[in-house]
Amino acid sequence: YKLGQKTPFFHKLVKDLVAVMGDAYPQLREQEARITEVLKAEEERFFETLANGMEILDSALAGDVKVLPGDVAFKLHDTYGFPLDLSNDVARERGLSVDEAGFRAAMEEQKNKARAAGKFKMDRALEYTGAANAFTGYTQLATPAKVLALYADGTSVQSLAAGQNGVVVLDNTPFYAESGGQVGDEGLITADGVRFAVQDTLKIKADVFGHHGTLESGSLKVGDAVSAEVNTEVRAATMRNHSVTHIMHKALREVLGDHVQQKGSLVNAERTRFDFTHNAPVTDAQIREIERRVNAEILANSDTQARVMDIESAQKTGATMLFGEKYGETVRVLDIGSSRELCGGTHVQRTGDIGLFKVVGESGVAAGVRRIEAVTGANALAYLQSLEETVGQAAAAFKAPASELNGRIGQALEQIKALEKEIAALKGKLASNQGDELLTQAVEIKGVKLLAARLEGADAKTLRDTMDKLKDKLGSAVIVLAAVDGDKVQLAAGVTKDCIGKLKAGELVNHVALQVGGKGGGKPDMAMAGGTDAAALPAALASVQAWVTERL
């Protein structure tokens, strides 16, 4: 990068690598195109990271700065992916240092915020030594049960009173505990005069489920006989989304390639969220093909089959085993449509129960990891109806039928572009006229023309264009131009080449920006900045003459 090599080049070595090593490693030859594509994408991403980071570093290190602030170094690392050691290298080359203690403090603060914002589940911390519970939720959604244990504020108690939050452990339960990406069940635990609203179900141990919720009425004691009933509507919606995730996983592998592996999932009543390995965005055409395949499986309305067997037998069936998952000696093999995976979750009885499948989002979540979000059943219908309403409103606004909407939008965009060009031309003409008037305000300091002035109605581009014209007309010059929009201030500073030895545009613009509640920087001959205190602009511009005089 420092030698000027700012475009990808490593990926070009793959072809030669395959020629030399392809016989020994056949997968290199088989995956040559994909390996090349992944390497190129990584290089492009890193060059972008470097470019963004260097720009921010140049701005932060402008002026008399001796130490790069820790919060800036952390922002570079956290937001832009710019490693701390690179920030250290750049600072060291300029005889500066990085506030690493401040960096670590910012890192710790972020971790604390993340922990506070997360859903911290105490189940694993609960001290439970009693019997395991039987899970009946594959075939039953309501069952009589006995209370084995109660917890309040993470501590074992003998009873809960009305209004208390707590955790209930039953001897048997139809409630599914959060596992394998599927959220825990909601529902009710009831008895005479007793109503405990279950908001979530989580595992205390592998075979012990904790029912989290609030005792809305009555008194609940250890040993009480109760009735446990799952919220059937929420469970059904969750099962639709979980079952379709299996079918979607298979469709992804068929459409995108066998390299697709699950990297995480979240299945609840609203949608399924599925993370998987893939190095490029999934195209609209690929998404349509995935949707077509999944909905074809739904329309086939085939039975779902679950079998419990030992792990070795399960492997022989060809069932997909998720990388990184821990499996016991016995596993549950699930066939849904043409998909066969190991899964302990709850599922629909037939693929047709899913109703309808629609992808609603595709995005990148990490390098080489993509995310698809999708909806099913009533949620899919609601999503499509919402889209239909949006299209209808847009068509009404354009006073055209929906079938002509794309054409009308295209026409409107062309009109907007034409108007923007016209406005830009008018702004340029206005700025040019103002620029000619500003020439008379320039003062001479030790043979250098100085101009610090406000340009009415200008944007960033206009400031830059006017700056170039003024440089040409003034010759040897130092210029600061400002534009105001409400409370916001836009600044541009320019220094002609013959003055760069003594004056730097980046330092100058930062000097002015700091006085108007902002910060900025840039190249020695041209720099931009912004601010939020327009009232302070006159004094800031007035200070430029003393700043320049001192350095000349």
Side-chain angles (χ1 to χ4, degrees), residues 62-86:
D64 299 325
V65 175
K66 299 298 181 186
V67 179
L68 179 69
D71 59 335
V72 176
F74 178 71
K75 182 181 179 182
L76 281 165
H77 159 80
D78 187 55
T79 305
Y80 299 97
F82 200 85
L84 176 63
D85 55 357
L86 281 186

Side-chain angles (χ1 to χ4, degrees), residues 173-241:
T173 177
F175 285 76
Y176 180 81
E178 180 177 313
S179 182
Q182 180 178 331
V183 298
D185 277 332
E186 304 173 18
L188 292 171
I189 296 174
T190 58
D192 289 340
V194 176
R195 180 184 171 92
F196 183 88
V198 179
Q199 290 140 7
D200 200 357
T201 308
L202 304 162
K203 289 184 178 181
I204 296 174
K205 296 180 180 179
D207 52 4
V208 180
F209 296 2
H211 305 78
H212 286 237
T214 304
L215 186 61
E216 295 180 343
S217 61
S219 175
L220 191 60
K221 303 180 185 65
V222 173
D224 281 355
V226 295
S227 176
E229 184 176 352
V230 173
N231 183 318
T232 55
E233 185 177 341
V234 172
R235 164 72 86 84
T238 303
M239 289 195 304
R240 284 193 289 269
N241 287 333

Side-chain angles (χ1 to χ4, degrees), residues 146-367:
K146 179 183 176 182
V147 177
L148 296 183
L150 295 169
Y151 296 87
D153 298 324
T155 303
S156 177
V157 295
Q158 290 300 304
S159 65
L160 290 175
Q164 270 191 296
N165 296 325
V167 181
V168 180
V169 179
L170 303 174
D171 63 341
N172 73 95
T173 177
F175 285 76
Y176 180 81
E178 180 177 313
S179 182
Q182 180 178 331
V183 298
D185 277 332
E186 304 173 18
L188 292 171
I189 296 174
T190 58
D192 289 340
V194 176
R195 180 184 171 92
F196 183 88
V198 179
Q199 290 140 7
D200 200 357
T201 308
L202 304 162
K203 289 184 178 181
I204 296 174
K205 296 180 180 179
D207 52 4
V208 180
F209 296 2
H211 305 78
H212 286 237
T214 304
L215 186 61
E216 295 180 343
S217 61
S219 175
L220 191 60
K221 303 180 185 65
V222 173
D224 281 355
V226 295
S227 176
E229 184 176 352
V230 173
N231 183 318
T232 55
E233 185 177 341
V234 172
R235 164 72 86 84
T238 303
M239 289 195 304
R240 284 193 289 269
N241 287 333
H242 197 168
S243 295
V244 89
T245 304
H246 284 238
I247 303 173
M248 178 177 68
H249 186 191
K250 186 171 186 294
L252 282 165
R253 289 174 65 85
E254 291 172 346
V255 174
L256 303 180
D258 291 338
H259 63 274
V260 168
Q261 288 187 352
Q262 179 176 334
K263 286 297 180 183
S265 69
L266 175 65
V267 178
N268 57 27
E270 285 74 44
R271 63 180 56 197
T272 175
R273 190 184 75 197
F274 189 77
D275 296 346
F276 58 96
T277 52
H278 189 56
N279 60 288
V282 185
T283 66
D284 290 341
Q286 289 170 332
I287 287 175
R288 286 195 294 272
E289 178 59 17
I290 291 164
E291 289 177 334
R292 187 194 67 76
R293 289 171 182 256
V294 173
N295 282 298
E297 296 263 23
I298 293 170
L299 287 171
N301 198 28
S302 56
D303 286 327
T304 298
Q305 184 182 15
R307 294 168 289 164
V308 177
M309 60 184 73
D310 62 83
I311 187 70
E312 188 175 338
S313 298
Q315 288 172 329
K316 291 177 181 177
T317 69
T320 300
M321 299 180 68
L322 303 182
F323 180 78
E325 283 286 328
K326 293 181 180 180
Y327 296 106
E329 292 182 5
T330 59
V331 292
R332 189 165 176 257
V333 178
L334 200 72
D335 290 334
I336 303 175
S338 60
S339 165
R340 177 173 288 171
E341 288 190 23
L342 304 189
C343 182
T346 60
H347 291 275
V348 298
Q349 292 184 343
R350 304 182 68 87
T351 58
D353 297 341
I354 297 169
L356 174 65
F357 168 80
K358 185 75 183 77
V359 173
V360 298
E362 192 279 340
S363 60
V365 292

Side-chain angles (χ1 to χ4, degrees), residues 7-23:
T7 56
F9 60 93
F10 273 117
H11 68 281
K12 297 175 183 177
L13 299 173
V14 176
K15 184 177 180 180
D16 298 294
L17 179 67
V18 171
V20 176
M21 305 295 290
D23 292 337

Side-chain angles (χ1 to χ4, degrees), residues 328-513:
E329 292 182 5
T330 59
V331 292
R332 189 165 176 257
V333 178
L334 200 72
D335 290 334
I336 303 175
S338 60
S339 165
R340 177 173 288 171
E341 288 190 23
L342 304 189
C343 182
T346 60
H347 291 275
V348 298
Q349 292 184 343
R350 304 182 68 87
T351 58
D353 297 341
I354 297 169
L356 174 65
F357 168 80
K358 185 75 183 77
V359 173
V360 298
E362 192 279 340
S363 60
V365 292
V369 179
R370 306 299 299 180
R371 170 174 292 172
I372 276 187
E373 296 184 76
V375 290
T376 60
N379 290 327
L381 177 62
Y383 175 78
L384 293 173
Q385 288 174 333
S386 175
L387 283 182
E388 187 178 43
E389 183 181 357
T390 300
V391 171
Q393 291 173 348
F398 279 96
K399 296 179 181 178
S403 60
E404 297 179 11
L405 196 53
N406 283 339
R408 292 296 181 92
I409 291 173
Q411 291 174 6
L413 290 174
E414 288 299 322
Q415 289 177 335
I416 290 170
K417 286 180 182 177
L419 290 171
E420 285 176 342
K421 286 182 179 179
E422 189 176 336
I423 290 170
L426 290 171
K427 278 186 175 180
K429 189 175 181 180
L430 177 63
S432 179
N433 292 336
Q434 288 188 67
D436 291 340
E437 294 174 7
L438 291 175
L439 289 172
T440 59
Q441 299 180 27
V443 296
E444 189 169 320
I445 302 173
K446 299 180 181 179
V448 175
K449 296 289 180 63
L450 168 65
L451 175 62
R454 176 170 167 174
L455 204 61
E456 299 296 338
D459 56 16
K461 183 179 183 305
T462 305
L463 287 180
R464 287 193 295 269
D465 292 345
T466 306
M467 177 71 67
D468 291 338
K469 292 175 182 176
L470 288 171
K471 279 184 180 180
D472 291 340
K473 292 180 179 179
L474 288 173
S476 182
V478 179
I479 306 165
V480 177
L481 296 178
V484 176
D485 182 8
D487 290 329
K488 293 182 179 179
V489 179
Q490 184 75 49
L491 297 167
V495 177
T496 52
K497 290 182 179 180
D498 59 310
C499 298
I500 288 176
K502 296 180 179 179
L503 302 166
K504 300 288 188 296
E507 297 176 6
L508 174 54
V509 82
N510 197 49
H511 163 75
V512 179

